[in-house]
Amino acid sequence: DARASAVGGRPRARDPNMTSRGACRLIGLASLTPPNAWLAAQPGAQRARSTIVGLVNLRGLGAARDFHTPVLAAGNLSLEVPAFCVWGANTAVGKTLVSAGLARSARRHGLPTFYLKPVQTGFPDDSDASFVAEKATGARGQGPGMSTMGHHAATAAGRAQGGTNLPLTDGGGPAGNFWAHTEYAWRRAVGPHVAVAEEGRFVSDRALLASVTNQLAQFADTVVGPNERSGGAGIAFVETAGGVCSPGPSGTPQCDLLRPMRMPAILVGDGNLGGISTTLASLDVLSMRGYDVVAVVVADGGAGLGNSDAIGRYAKTYHGCPTFRLPRVPERRVVGGGATAGSGEEIFEWMDEGAKTFDALLGRLVRWHDARIAKLRGAADEAREILWWPFTQHDMVPRENVAVIDSRSGEDFGVYVEDAEGAGPGSVQLRFDGAASWWTQGVSKELQHRLVRAAAAAAGRWGHVMFPENAHEAALDAARGLLLGAGRSWATRVFYSDNGSTAMEVAVKMAIRAFYVRKGHVEAGSPSAIETADALPQVQVLALDGSYHGDTLGTMDMQAPSVFTGPLQTPWYKPRGLFMNPPTLQLRKGRWVVTQPRGGIRPEFAGESWGLDEATRGWETRAEAFDWATRDGSDLAKRYRSAVEKILDENAADPTASPVAALVMECVLHGAGGMDLIDPLFQRTLILVCKERGLPVVLDEVFAGIWRLGAEGAWELLGDGCAPDISCYAKLLTGGLVPLAITASTEDIFDAFRGPTKTHALLHGHSYTAYPVGCAVAAEAMRIYRDPEANPNLIVEGAEPVGGSGFESGDQGAGLRIDRERPSGPIASSSERKLRLRELWDETAVREISLLPNVAGVTAIGCVLAVEVDDGGGGGYSSGATKEIVLKLRAHSIQARPLGNVLYVMCAPTTAPERCAQILQSVTRELRASAMDDDDDAW
């Protein structure tokens, strides 16, 4: 049992003294470094094991169960004890003094207090923890003996065998309700990243974050848990090093390093000359990162430079937070090693002088924390009263199933989780967003700030700009990115809209006009086009069952009858398609096989036997199913071609049938239809046949395009000759930050709308067409995906690019050329290269899932992992077969969403492969448990 090994080699029994409140609060801390040593040393170790490993009461699932939660949970934050992060607008602005003053105030009010200094340099001569301990407790000269240090810090202090990761057990003041601790430290009084370079002892971002999580969890357990050592709730202060953007040990700015926890912030401003600028900049940086700045503190005495007044006005007006003014800090002479001369009595006097301010600030912090909890606890009820969710039957959503999202950090939600019995404040838990925020999320937490900066810069520069006959750099930049990327080798024009459904409406308008021109119904550019418009034939599209192109009326008509198009949903629905039921490709019982539809791709083909070899023997790897050198010459390829040609010929010969004007289909993978991977040979054949007949090919790559399936354009997976005439992109286009969509086309399609009057043009658009914020974010997202230095999953083959991503912002088209000699006139890069994503889902592990008795099949391609669970019936959108598994995955820090009987999780193109492996392991574990009728321990 993997869980048994995590707690000493034997299965765990639930400790009767362990409250589900504490267990739910601390779910997901099992793998904090070093877990086993910490747990073994704790008093009441069995209780601690249950707490940290995560004993969770999943509502609606019966009895509570234990789960081992992976390291993804580092960053969880208990709300049972207020915890605030103390930031500085610069170094030497008084962060530690403010921390000491707050700690002293907390002690005056009987609050257990924990001061944590995760990173310290100049140690041990300069120890902020010792300073705070002395000043907070009033134990003059006893600070070093009242603070603790971690093993790493002990090395800097020359104590090779010293240090503790258990400050709540080994430390504490005389009353046992104050703790001060330094975790990581270096001797030189320089930036932590410089200290690492000089002294070594590197600390990763994840280890540092896990340490902070661990220490705060210990504190919460100590003051409110079964091992409570105090009179009740307390307060914790985590003090950073240097300024807001000062690097941590790895070089990552601390505002990014600590962002997953999103602890509420106290910003200590700069009362010196130039301090207004640095303080306001720091305030904006924290806000743009998503922190709640609860208070600003300025120690300028309210005189001289007037910093506190200026900072206070800005903070209140633009950030809604108060500014607290403290007396000016007494100057102390610095001597060698970072120490200071003097008795230190002046600091006690300074804190006494500012006592009322510190008390007021402490009151502000406690009230803010209580208000935060009230908002989080009330969000579910308020949402059920005033919101109307999409694709949701509200009467089937109990309150406890409403996920309250406190924040997001890269691929993770910060989910508010109430205590099991609903009595306590709960916690904010990081959970991997398995639905990739409905298929839009594109970047990891390390890259998220790049998109935020792009949005902020565009908003500050342009706000919004109407688009007809206008141009701005953001729109040009994003257009170049698309034409160099998913549209390379075929697209020359970019039409902007706001979402995938609208993009598809535009695409069909383009395709139908091109059909009219190609078939001679309209003469492009001729005035006669207007005169003959009323005589144009009504047309239909060639499309696939199970496809989904959006919820607008036009796109609904391009979809086959389904639950989405029925009279209760779309009363005006009128199918305008010649629909085919496509064969699918899936990993079944260890082999990739093609399954033909039971009733044939059309009724006239029912009962025919196609592709017996592909359906039985199949292939060992997915790549073999995309091997065109082999598959193009197969008997099944001939069958597909013959059937498609027959369908089109019979439709053309039927005088009562509307002519087929275009091929319209989701490319490679049907998303909303159930994550069905369409046999790529079938789609390839469709495209080739339609191109031979002059029919425009429209691909819906809203879901599948821009790296979702491992290639920049999903059309690339279908082989040579399959580039579309028109294709639509959204979702990953902006990395999951803001809405935007693009309909890209060839020059031939664009030419169909030329003419002497405006009536010939494409009369479509909306007020926010090509809005600069969306375009700027899209351009940055596409740069990130294509940059090997930013995207760890990118594999580059061929020539080196010009610059990191192949296109640069505002480069006036550098590295681009328009080749008007080619039929489609594509924009191309001046340096050809081939890009693809590495395999993100281990094929061996995926194959093992396919062999489970409750699994009908698995699809793993690009960022998508989809498991069809055998529910013993027909499956489909209304099946509830995966709901219980989805809920149980929350104990693994995964927030997934069921899609009928399909369990799917989706990562970003930039998600680290090792994280995908952890997710895959969790999914496998819960599927196995489900197969054993919930007897998880039997495995």
Side-chain angles (χ1 to χ4, degrees):
D1 189 316
R3 295 170 302 165
S5 66
V7 292
R10 55 186 176 82
R12 295 188 313 277
R14 181 176 181 181
D15 189 302
N17 295 321
M18 177 58 203
T19 64
S20 56
R21 172 180 173 186
C24 189
R25 179 182 73 244
L26 296 175
I27 172 178
L29 303 181
S31 52
L32 297 180
T33 307
N36 297 338
W38 188 85
L39 292 172
Q42 284 284 52
Q46 183 61 44
R47 180 203 62 80
R49 292 188 186 108
S50 297
T51 303
I52 300 300
V53 173
L55 183 58
V56 187
N57 183 357
L58 295 173
R59 293 176 174 84
L61 299 182
R65 295 174 54 198
D66 282 359
F67 295 95
H68 174 70
T69 306
V71 74
L72 311 184
N76 287 358
L77 182 65
S78 168
L79 298 178
E80 289 194 307
V81 177
F84 295 89
C85 193
V86 181
W87 299 88
N90 207 334
T91 190
V93 294
K95 293 191 306 297
T96 307
L97 288 169
V98 170
S99 296
L102 281 168
R104 188 176 177 86
S105 176
R107 282 180 56 79
R108 281 198 300 272
H109 291 83
L111 285 177
T113 306
F114 179 41
Y115 170 85
L116 175 62
K117 184 74 173 183
V119 175
Q120 176 84 64
T121 60
F123 191 81
D125 293 337
D126 186 9
S127 172
D128 290 345
S130 296
F131 179 90
V132 170
E134 176 182 324
K135 300 307 186 262
T137 63
R140 290 160 171 78
Q142 299 180 37
M146 299 182 63
S147 64
T148 56
M149 63 186 77
H151 299 301
H152 186 281
T155 301
R159 304 177 188 175
Q161 304 301 319
T164 177
N165 290 323
L166 303 170
L168 279 300
T169 300
D170 299 340
N177 64 351
F178 177 81
W179 299 265
H181 182 72
T182 305
E183 185 66 17
Y184 301 105
W186 292 264
R187 290 181 292 274
R188 278 285 308 281
V190 293
H193 62 302
V194 176
V196 168
E198 294 181 355
E199 300 178 28
R201 294 182 293 115
F202 174 79
V203 177
S204 70
D205 292 352
R206 176 169 291 191
L208 197 153
L209 187 68
S211 173
V212 175
T213 306
N214 191 354
Q215 304 295 348
L216 292 178
Q218 290 183 56
F219 180 59
D221 260 4
T222 299
V223 298
V224 299
N227 282 350
E228 180 179 322
R229 293 172 51 189
S230 68
I235 192 166
F237 301 105
V238 179
E239 184 184 319
T240 60
V244 166
C245 293
S246 294
S250 70
T252 301
Q254 291 176 86
C255 56
D256 294 325
L257 195 162
L258 293 173
R259 173 57 181 79
M261 295 191 78
R262 209 181 77 87
M263 282 183 286
I266 303 166
L267 176 62
V268 180
D270 190 344
N272 298 308
L273 183 64
I276 295 174
S277 178
T278 58
T279 304
L280 301 191
S282 298
L283 187 56
D284 286 343
V285 165
L286 289 172
S287 180
M288 285 179 59
R289 292 301 200 281
Y291 289 97
D292 293 318
V293 182
V294 181
V296 179
V297 183
V298 184
D300 68 350
L305 302 175
N307 287 22
S308 58
D309 291 335
I311 292 168
R313 287 193 297 271
Y314 187 90
K316 181 179 180 179
T317 302
Y318 298 108
H319 295 275
C321 67
T323 297
F324 292 81
R325 178 187 298 158
L326 286 168
R328 180 170 291 279
V329 178
E331 294 186 4
R332 303 186 69 198
R333 184 168 54 86
V334 178
V335 296
T340 55
S343 65
E345 284 300 318
E346 65 273 23
I347 299 301
F348 286 105
E349 295 170 0
W350 176 82
M351 286 193 294
D352 289 340
E353 185 182 353
K356 290 183 178 180
T357 301
F358 281 118
D359 288 349
L361 175 56
L362 182 67
R364 159 71 177 172
L365 300 180
V366 173
R367 289 191 300 273
W368 185 93
H369 178 76
D370 290 343
R372 179 189 188 187
I373 293 171
K375 287 181 181 179
L376 290 170
R377 295 188 68 174
D381 289 328
E382 186 176 11
R384 295 175 78 231
E385 291 175 0
I386 67 175
L387 299 183
W388 193 332
W389 290 308
F391 299 99
T392 300
Q393 176 50 261
H394 285 233
D395 292 341
M396 296 174 64
V397 182
R399 180 186 183 280
E400 58 266 25
N401 283 5
V402 179
V404 177
I405 310 300
D406 176 74
S407 63
R408 183 182 192 96
S409 177
E411 303 105 314
D412 294 330
F413 283 143
V415 183
Y416 174 63
V417 179
E418 290 185 335
D419 294 329
E421 71 275 17
S427 61
V428 176
Q429 299 175 10
L430 290 181
R431 292 179 185 167
F432 182 86
D433 177 9
S437 275
W438 245 355
W439 318 342
T440 66
Q441 182 65 23
V443 297
S444 61
K445 68 179 179 64
E446 292 80 9
L447 299 168
Q448 178 175 311
H449 61 90
R450 288 181 55 174
L451 300 186
V452 173
R453 279 204 301 266
R461 178 177 176 182
W462 289 290
H464 178 53
V465 177
M466 64 167 287
F467 199 54
E469 301 176 38
N470 288 334
H472 52 78
E473 183 182 323
L476 294 171
D477 200 11
R480 285 192 293 265
L482 193 285
L483 296 176
L484 269 171
R488 69 183 181 282
S489 81
W490 66 272
T492 65
R493 298 283 176 170
V494 163
F495 187 96
Y496 287 105
S497 57
D498 59 339
N499 65 78
S501 185
T502 305
M504 285 300 296
E505 296 271 4
V506 173
V508 174
K509 284 186 177 182
M510 292 177 177
I512 293 175
R513 174 72 69 86
F515 169 79
Y516 287 152
V517 170
R518 290 180 182 182
K519 299 304 179 182
H521 298 294
V522 169
E523 183 180 353
S526 170
S528 64
I530 307 300
E531 301 169 2
T532 60
D534 291 340
L536 293 173
Q538 290 294 301
V539 296
Q540 62 179 335
V541 298
L542 185 64
L544 303 182
D545 284 354
S547 62
Y548 173 80
H549 303 294
D551 298 321
T552 51
L553 294 179
T555 60
M556 283 289 182
D557 287 354
M558 293 187 293
Q559 300 171 37
S562 69
V563 65
F564 301 106
T565 60
L568 287 177
Q569 299 297 331
T570 315
W572 289 348
Y573 172 65
K574 181 180 180 180
R576 300 177 187 272
L578 186 58
F579 300 109
M580 294 174 290
N581 195 5
T584 58
L585 174 68
Q586 196 176 42
L587 182 62
R588 291 176 174 261
K589 307 307 176 188
R591 304 287 295 183
W592 287 91
V593 296
V594 173
T595 301
Q596 297 295 331
R598 292 182 180 179
I601 62 171
R602 291 279 296 173
E604 56 265 38
F605 300 104
E608 295 186 12
S609 296
W610 293 5
L612 293 179
D613 187 55
E614 288 87 346
T616 54
R617 188 170 64 88
W619 305 273
E620 183 177 355
T621 67
R622 188 191 68 239
E624 294 174 90
F626 286 81
D627 181 7
W628 308 122
T630 301
R631 295 205 70 192
D632 277 349
S634 66
D635 178 69
L636 186 57
K638 298 174 184 176
R639 292 271 193 162
Y640 285 161
R641 173 173 281 274
S642 175
V644 173
E645 290 179 337
K646 180 180 180 181
I647 291 168
L648 291 173
D649 287 343
E650 289 181 352
N651 184 82
D654 184 352
T656 65
S658 298
V660 172
L663 169 66
V664 178
M665 63 181 182
E666 283 187 88
C667 192
V668 182
L669 189 72
H670 282 183
M675 298 295 166
D676 287 334
L677 181 59
I678 309 304
D679 181 6
L681 178 62
F682 181 69
Q683 288 203 330
R684 174 174 169 80
T685 303
L686 278 171
I687 292 174
L688 294 176
V689 170
C690 288
K691 280 181 170 287
E692 291 167 5
R693 293 175 176 240
L695 295 177
V697 173
V698 179
L699 296 183
D700 181 345
E701 296 188 71
V702 169
F703 165 57
I706 309 187
W707 302 108
R708 180 61 73 198
L709 304 184
E712 199 159 15
W715 58 269
E716 299 176 60
L717 301 174
L718 298 177
D720 294 340
C722 289
D725 297 285
I726 304 164
S727 196
C728 298
Y729 303 92
K731 299 194 185 299
L732 277 174
L733 177 63
T734 59
L737 188 64
V738 291
L740 189 75
I742 283 177
T743 305
S745 80
T746 63
E747 198 70 12
D748 177 68
I749 299 296
F750 179 79
D751 287 343
F753 288 84
R754 293 185 185 273
T757 71
K758 189 172 183 177
T759 311
H760 289 78
L762 176 57
L763 304 181
H764 195 111
H766 63 103
S767 296
Y768 283 92
T769 297
Y771 73 111
V773 171
C775 291
V777 172
E780 184 67 6
M782 286 185 282
R783 265 189 290 274
I784 289 171
Y785 300 147
R786 292 171 60 88
D787 184 355
E789 294 183 3
N791 187 351
N793 300 319
L794 193 67
I795 296 176
V796 182
E797 300 171 349
E800 290 296 320
V802 179
S805 62
F807 73 101
E808 303 299 330
S809 175
D811 62 2
Q812 306 298 316
L816 305 177
R817 61 185 173 84
I818 300 180
D819 187 354
R820 297 296 183 186
E821 299 300 318
R822 300 177 65 173
S824 59
I827 282 184
S829 170
S830 61
S831 182
E832 297 295 332
R833 61 174 181 165
K834 184 177 181 181
L835 307 176
R836 62 182 176 86
L837 294 184
R838 69 178 75 250
E839 289 293 332
L840 297 173
W841 309 106
D842 180 73
E843 194 156 6
T844 300
V846 171
R847 184 173 293 108
E848 290 177 0
I849 291 178
S850 77
L851 298 173
L852 294 174
N854 58 337
V855 172
V858 183
T859 298
I861 182 170
C863 304
V864 180
L865 173 68
V867 181
E868 182 185 353
V869 175
D870 187 352
D871 63 356
Y877 187 75
S878 60
S879 171
T882 62
K883 185 174 182 179
E884 183 174 338
I885 299 173
V886 163
L887 290 175
K888 291 176 181 177
L889 283 173
R890 294 180 182 180
H892 299 262
S893 299
I894 300 173
Q895 185 87 10
R897 177 180 171 85
L899 186 61
N901 67 316
V902 175
L903 168 67
Y904 78 90
V905 289
M906 200 175 297
C907 66
T910 58
T911 300
E914 57 268 26
R915 188 156 199 197
C916 292
Q918 292 167 336
I919 294 166
L920 191 56
Q921 184 180 28
S922 297
V923 169
T924 304
R925 185 176 187 82
E926 289 307 326
L927 285 167
R928 282 177 172 169
S930 178
M932 292 294 288
D933 194 24
D934 210 33
D935 187 7
D936 190 28
D937 288 330
W939 286 91

